[in-house]
Amino acid sequence: MSFVRACGLSELAEDTPKRVELDGTPVSVVRTEGEVFAIYDICSHANVSLSEGEVEDCQIECWLHGSAFDLRTGKPSGLPATRPVPVYPVKIEGDDVLVSLTQES
């Protein structure tokens, strides 16, 4: 699995998504509940950036229609979204937040 630097850990405020672009892929990086998560930044229901939404209870909410996605699995917890969005492995090295866009098989 290949990891790339997404941002600095010190750049992440608790429960505040940060949008980054990694190899042309929009990713929302979120620090919450003592962990850091990376999730595809586009809602599966509408072409809306999830990083503009709110984070609560390890979920990120799409600001447009209110669908929330689990930061651990990418699964939606309510309508109108019915399809999950990809989540990506994260590791921390010093102040660097590293994300892999390669899914484990």
Side-chain angles (χ1 to χ4, degrees):
M1 208 175 328
S2 174
F3 284 84
V4 295
R5 185 181 189 280
C7 62
L9 186 60
S10 59
E11 296 174 50
L12 298 175
E14 185 76 11
D15 296 330
T16 303
K18 179 175 181 67
R19 181 186 167 109
V20 297
E21 195 156 310
L22 304 175
D23 296 330
T25 301
V27 176
S28 182
V29 181
V30 180
R31 183 181 200 169
T32 188
E33 299 182 9
E35 294 185 64
V36 177
F37 300 93
I39 189 167
Y40 185 66
D41 192 48
I42 306 299
C43 178
S44 62
H45 169 255
N47 190 21
V48 175
S49 176
L50 292 176
S51 62
E52 295 177 25
E54 295 184 11
V55 174
E56 187 176 339
D57 296 329
C58 213
Q59 295 187 48
I60 189 167
E61 183 180 60
C62 177
W63 63 269
L64 186 60
H65 296 115
S67 289
F69 297 87
D70 189 302
L71 290 168
R72 297 165 292 223
T73 65
K75 293 181 181 176
S77 62
L79 297 173
T82 58
R83 294 184 328 263
V85 294
V87 294
Y88 307 107
V90 173
K91 67 180 179 179
I92 309 297
E93 290 183 357
D95 187 55
D96 292 332
V97 176
L98 306 173
V99 175
S100 175
L101 296 180
T102 306
Q103 296 294 313
E104 294 177 325
S105 50

